[in-house]
Amino acid sequence: MKPIRLTVNGKPVSAVVEPRQHLGDFLREHLLLTATHLGCEQGVCGACTVLVDGVPVRSCIVYAVACDGADVRTLEGLEEDEVVTQLRAAMSRHHGLQCGFCTPGMMMTARDIVTRLPDADEKRVREELSGNLCRCTGYVGIVDAIRDVQEQRKSRRGAP
Amino acid sequence: MKAAAFDYERPPTLERAIELLRAANGDAKVLAGGQSLGPMLNLRLATPRLVVDVTRIPELRRTADERDAVVIGACVTHADIEDGRVPDATRGVMPGVARAIAYRAVRNRGTVGGSLAHADPSADWPTALAALGAEAMIAGPAGRRHVPVAEFLSGAFESTLAADEILEAVRVPKLSARARWGFHKVCRKPGKFAEAMSAVLWDPDRGVRRAVIGATDSRPITIGDARGSVDRSRGGGADALSEHAVAAMLDGAGLGGDSYSRRIHLVSFRRALAQIQST
Amino acid sequence: MSDSARADDGHAGSPTKQGVGARLERKEDDRLLRGRGQYVGDIRLPGMREVAFVRSPVAHAVVGRIDIPDGRRSDVFVGRDLADVEPILCVAGLPGFKAASQPVLAVDRVLHVGMAVAMCVGDTRAQAEDLAEALAVDYRELDVVHDVRKAREPGATLLHGSWGDNLLLTSDLVVGDVDAVARSAPVSVELELRTARQCMSPMEGRGVLAAWDSRMDQLVVHTSSQVPHLVRAGLARFLGLEEGRIRVIAPDVGGGFGYKSILAPEEVCIAWLAMKLRHPVRWLEDRREQLTAGANCREHHYRIRAHADRAGRLLAFDVEADVDSGAYSVYPFTGALEAGQLPSMLPGPYDFGSYRCRSRAVVTNKVPIVPYRGVARPGACIALELTIDAIARAVGREPYAVRLDNLVPPQAMPFDNITGKHFDGGDYPASVRRAVDAIDLAGVRVRQARGESDGRLIGAGFAFFNEQGSVGTSAYAKWGLPLCPGHEQAKVRLMPDGMLEVAVGIQSHGQGLETSLAQIAHEVLGVPVDRIRVVHGDTALTPYSIGTWGSRSMVMGGGAVARACRALAGRLARIGAHALGVPEGAVRVRGGEVATGDGRAVTIDEVARLWYLRPQELPPDVDPGGLEVTGGYRAARDSGTFSYATHAVVVAIDPETGQVEILDYAIDEDAGVCVNPMIVEGQIVGGTVQGIGTALYEEMAFSEEGQPLASTFLDYILPGATEVPPMRLAHVETPSPYTEFGVKGIGESGAIGSPAAILNAINDALKPLGAVIAECPATPRRVLAAIDEARNRAGRPV
């Protein structure tokens, strides 16, 4: 067991963890933050994506012990985030979710695309999304939602 | 699945890390990003007694812009390279390769050194860095040694790294202004491991005409002097490296038994070459 | 005058923007978008421990000694510990059906890789897995029957000794004299087609959390299921409990697609364990288990002969089909579900005279098959639609034109087809014509003639199909399964403050039923959708239902909600009329009010207050049942609704790498009246993308030793955002004459037509090379092999 101290959703957290516990399990089982979903634990599906030090990572293949000192943010910690708020509305408007299981990971990746690549075209958006699997929607609504938020932000940037 | 139990150490220095590996006597895994190790641990395909996390060792995160090369610390992430946060010796080649590795969330964590040390023949860096003429800088109990990346892999998931050695950095020669690069991989879908991959570098000012065929069942096939193919595709030169010769190399690498694999490797080689055609 | 007559239910001309036909954003979205959904894995109970299963690493073996680490016997449970649990036995009443019981934990034999052999309990899942790994199980391996061909060889090893062969079911259907037609038909084509075994792969795997509730004296099982009431029935039967002693809760469910429409052996195991240990236990299926030990489906092998006239008019269709059913029959659908339905499905939407089908469900040492979106239909559609294209090639006509000549014409609707299916309406040829225009077939032909600058080959393909959805009592009764859909029920209750609660036994796991059922209630009563709560997924709170599968929930659940709301409207009308001082016949319920024709009204909220808070003001003849009503529904004709669609695809093939890219995709579809068109489109697109997986990517291959060859999402490839083309959808609404509002079942539709359309497009592209793909997924390897074969046939060097 190893002691760790980190920040989760803006709050300091201290814990003693088994080194083998991945960050996703630490968040879900230890902190009861269950927005982060485990879809494969093989680092492929993207459902468990969270922000570590501001960038998206797969929480199933990052071990909690290795996040000592890190700043971790889950979907629960992005309730008030401006981009996430826009994405929530757009995802609903474009029917970008059905069962909702992949959705938290999609929101993390979508937020990353909108903020990092504000001018990405549809092809690039799809490439950037390709690491998040969704079995319900066929991605159409998700891509549309991201494009919609990009446009909203662009027109606001362009406004006087 | 959950990983089997392991101990975890995060040494602050390279020396300490080497000590830990040495003491573990082969029953340790180095974690440099964990994007390949993590899945293997979770699936219990890897069950080391100890995991040595080297990501916070300053030397491994360092980059140096030298006169004719750039040294990139092993724990520099693919995203660092993609985004240009580290000096680029390759006039955009490495950022381009980085961008096509797996997915952004993996690139944020995965490292160039981790990827090389994992020695997966279908990964991008072993092929791309071999073609770029990069060197692996290795630290171990006996000091430091350098190995061309082209010779770093000894097989699939096997490298020249000893159990108590750590890949410290890669040294990537600077390309000249006239250099041209061709890189083509065949994947079932983006982010998946390549089924075939080829890289070609033509850098006449440095006298480099190198081709590498990767995603084989073993180490990448490096054609150090690919003058024939390269010059021909540049519109000149005789005695081309014929496709027949390339096919023979593929056969020699054990790909001949699978006609599909042999064929798409040839296609990737041809297409990588086509990218360096004179324009 | 009946109660229901007073509700204003005509959706045409309804002033509302929330009722039937409205593109309403979903009520369930907000919680899911904030990560507040509650899936089984999100639920923890005090004292809960975790379970890991020990699963067979071999496909066929006698299980010998199981060595348990010292001191851990109390945390390990093996087959003989569950002696009081009955093996799962699912029998169909079909003639010749053979039954085999499936122990929930192997007792003496394992029949497939991944079959559960022991349960290990730990404080954490990791510790449970440690224990599972420490068990030593002795397997004495037996000969493995890894595919249908081997299973049918004379002298093949038998999976179930008493059967005498490996045939679970042989199903024959003969209409007309196929042999006579074959002798005289000017055109005959032969095809041999194969479809790969697939894994449904919802993003959430199975999960079960069970505990004994001593206050209620009841077993409470949380499970990721589409069919909580069926799970209760199955648990009761195999655990030997009364149904009233079991409560099954399916909370938020992360996708189903049929995977969760059965009773899983693990559900029985975990429920038993909770009773045994008297503390909560949880098992969450991981992805490796899901891929290797969870269910598979759709491995079909067809041998087809079709006979036509010189114009391509189909005269006779002659099919032999083998379905690899895996080792056992799942409860409640059995392993015959695909093979048993194929004979009646294969003729599809076409009108022709002679038909012969022999279909076999064959057992092998693989995971038992489970219904997957479309069930046998995607395979049947491939068989039929590739045949139509083969006929078109043989007679030298455009495949769409051959379709037009063979489809049931609109003037023949409603139509009883060659196998007795009753098509409920629509204009099939018009759909094909619109799809032809939608992908600009003429433009594709020009482009093909010109050739592509990058050397790729372009092809256009079509598939037309109709989907029998929401099949009802009369059809299911013939199967003699442990389930038979009867009346679907909904319970509605108006709260004292006017909020409406709608409880249904079906389960929503992505279909947006919390929204669309609220839209139906709104349509009838006018209560605003945000004041309607839809409750589902809990046997304690909802009326019995066979659950959500078979494209039935909107037809059946929606119908039940409409009926219940109309009954409630009748009760509201009586109270409202009394309050208004007018005769009951003078009022109607609409727009959230009980209103007279001349504009006087009392709100539904006010009526609710009267019933609950001011009973002294109620009419003397008030219905004592109050404002809680259960309504039941069965379609006026229950042989199923027939939505239909044309899928039209343009692909580009790289002849050097064999890679296929979808360039364009158009769907022309008639889903009847769409309660929420946005949700319907989402179902169709989502299903279509699963079909893209079927056509190009997904394959669970097995070695000759019966080993599944994919165990991660790296080797079982699901389509991602980059594999999905832009898609265009066109709706046509032909209302079903037999259902509430004219809705039709649509949930499976997309997955049915897409594989056939894509394969046809590939074959159109390969036509200049003389190559034909006859197997899916059409992987690069297979595409190149088809090209090579064609070149070899033509005597040209590769």
Side-chain angles (χ1 to χ4, degrees), chain A residues 31-104:
Chain A
L31 301 180
L32 306 180
L33 293 170
T34 56
T36 302
H37 294 159
L38 300 176
C40 72
E41 296 184 291
Q42 299 164 344
V44 188
C45 82
C48 68
T49 307
V50 299
L51 302 182
V52 175
D53 297 328
V55 299
V57 304
R58 309 275 210 232
S59 67
C60 74
I61 50 172
V62 171
Y63 296 91
V65 67
C67 294
D68 187 29
D71 179 46
V72 175
R73 210 159 266 276
T74 69
L75 192 57
E76 287 101 334
L78 293 169
E79 285 262 324
E80 308 297 328
D81 181 83
E82 185 190 309
V83 177
V84 168
T85 302
Q86 288 176 317
L87 281 167
R88 274 200 305 267
M91 286 280 277
S92 199
R93 200 158 54 241
H94 294 281
H95 195 23
L97 66 156
Q98 290 183 22
C99 81
F101 198 79
C102 74
T103 305

Side-chain angles (χ1 to χ4, degrees), chain A residues 95 97-100 136, chain C residues 26 253 255 508-513 679 683:
Chain A
H95 195 23
L97 66 156
Q98 290 183 22
C99 81
C136 295
Chain C
R26 302 195 318 164
V253 170
S508 183
H509 43 280
Q511 300 90 339
L513 291 165
I679 289 175
Q683 290 297 306

Side-chain angles (χ1 to χ4, degrees), chain C residues 619-640:
Chain C
D621 63 344
V622 69
D623 190 322
L627 304 184
E628 292 195 23
V629 188
T630 297
Y633 172 78
R634 216 175 121 173
R637 180 170 179 140
D638 73 354
S639 52

Side-chain angles (χ1 to χ4, degrees), chain C residues 643-686:
Chain C
S643 65
Y644 59 91
T646 312
H647 284 232
V649 191
V650 180
V651 301
I653 298 174
D654 183 333
E656 289 193 327
T657 63
Q659 293 203 323
V660 178
E661 185 192 351
I662 300 174
L663 300 179
D664 193 15
Y665 206 115
I667 301 168
D668 185 276
E669 146 276 321
D670 184 344
V673 171
C674 299
V675 174
N676 184 325
M678 179 190 80
I679 289 175
V680 170
E681 286 162 15
Q683 290 297 306
I684 291 169
V685 170

Side-chain angles (χ1 to χ4, degrees), chain C residues 405-422:
Chain C
D405 289 352
N406 282 294
L407 285 169
V408 173
Q411 61 273 18
M413 292 289 183
F415 179 82
D416 292 310
N417 89 340
I418 193 163
T419 66
K421 288 195 191 291
H422 179 76

Side-chain angles (χ1 to χ4, degrees), chain A residues 1 18 20-21 25 28-30 32-47 75-80 84-85 87-104 106-107 122-143, chain C residues 25-26 28-30 32-37 39 41-44 48 50 124 126-127 130 198-205 252-255 257 282 284 286-288 291 372-373 509-511 678-683 685-687 689-690 693 698 711-714 716 718-727:
Chain A
M1 302 293 275
E18 257 197 300
R20 65 164 152 178
Q21 185 172 53
D25 265 346
R28 292 175 51 79
E29 304 296 329
H30 193 90
L32 306 180
L33 293 170
T34 56
T36 302
H37 294 159
L38 300 176
C40 72
E41 296 184 291
Q42 299 164 344
V44 188
C45 82
L75 192 57
E76 287 101 334
L78 293 169
E79 285 262 324
E80 308 297 328
V84 168
T85 302
L87 281 167
R88 274 200 305 267
M91 286 280 277
S92 199
R93 200 158 54 241
H94 294 281
H95 195 23
L97 66 156
Q98 290 183 22
C99 81
F101 198 79
C102 74
T103 305
M106 284 289 177
M107 295 292 278
E122 175 165 340
K123 182 167 179 287
R124 182 75 195 268
V125 168
R126 285 179 178 274
E127 282 167 16
E128 294 289 333
L129 261 189
S130 65
N132 287 70
L133 295 175
C134 169
R135 192 59 159 163
C136 295
T137 64
Y139 309 98
V140 172
I142 301 168
V143 172
Chain C
E25 288 181 28
R26 302 195 318 164
E28 42 273 84
D29 284 354
D30 188 67
L32 301 177
L33 284 162
R34 292 175 194 273
R36 294 179 191 164
Y39 304 85
D42 300 338
I43 302 169
R44 294 187 68 90
M48 182 179 88
E50 305 269 1
T124 66
Q127 286 168 22
D130 293 345
Q198 283 186 258
C199 292
M200 302 78 156
S201 305
M203 293 315 299
E204 180 207 31
D252 281 321
V253 170
F257 318 117
R282 182 172 78 172
L284 301 177
D286 65 37
R287 190 54 64 184
R288 191 162 181 271
L291 288 169
Y372 171 35
R373 199 175 204 166
H509 43 280
Q511 300 90 339
M678 179 190 80
I679 289 175
V680 170
E681 286 162 15
Q683 290 297 306
V685 170
V689 172
Q690 292 188 356
E698 295 180 39
S711 62
T712 72
F713 277 153
L714 284 174
Y716 188 85
L718 298 182
T722 39
E723 284 66 58
V724 176
M727 268 185 256

